[in-house]
C-alpha cells in the first residue's frame, strides 16, 4: 500500500503584499493599546499589508497590519475576506 501525502493548498497572497480586505468577521487589535477594538470602531474594510500566514482548520488565513485612526492595528482574516492586491 502506498501512502500519499495530502495535497497542500497554496496561499493566494504573499507576505508583504498590500490587499483590500473586509473586516466584518475580524477581531482587530490595537497594537499600542494592547487590546481589541470594539466592533463599533472597526471599519468595514481596509487596505493592509500581509505580515503572516496560517492555516486554521486547513483554510488559509492572513495576518494584516494597517493604520486606523492614527494607530497601528492587526487582525487575522480568511482568504475569502480579501478582495485582491492593491
Amino acid at each position: 500500500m502506498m501512502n500519499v501525502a495530502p495535497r497542500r493548498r497554496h496561499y493566494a497572497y504573499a507576505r508583504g503584499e498590500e490587499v483590500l480586505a473586509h473586516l466584518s468577521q475580524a477581531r482587530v487589535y490595537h497594537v499600542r493599546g494592547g487590546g481589541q477594538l470594539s466592533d463599533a470602531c472597526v471599519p468595514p474594510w481596509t487596505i493592509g499589508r500581509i505580515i503572516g500566514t496560517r492555516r486554521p482548520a486547513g483554510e488559509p488565513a492572513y495576518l494584516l497590519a494597517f493604520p486606523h485612526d492614527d494607530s497601528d492595528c492587526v487582525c487575522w482574516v480568511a482568504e475569502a475576506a480579501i478582495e485582491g492586491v492593491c
Side-chain angles (χ1 to χ4, degrees):
M1 177 186 228
M2 183 182 356
N3 290 334
V4 177
R7 187 174 169 191
R8 296 194 66 184
R9 184 171 172 211
H10 295 285
Y11 290 101
Y13 306 99
R15 288 182 185 163
E17 286 187 304
E18 281 192 341
V19 295
L20 172 66
H22 296 277
L23 300 178
S24 62
Q25 302 292 320
R27 293 187 311 205
V28 177
Y29 293 91
H30 181 269
V31 174
R32 254 182 294 164
Q36 183 175 337
L37 292 179
S38 72
D39 290 342
C41 295
V42 175
W45 61 272
T46 193
I47 294 174
R49 183 171 305 280
I50 296 174
I51 59 172
T53 58
R54 70 176 181 174
R55 292 184 185 278
E59 294 299 318
Y62 301 87
L63 182 60
L64 297 182
F66 59 95
H68 176 64
D69 288 340
D70 296 325
S71 301
D72 293 326
C73 295
V74 295
C75 68
W76 285 100
V77 295
E79 191 169 275
I82 298 176
E83 287 289 323
V85 177
C86 296

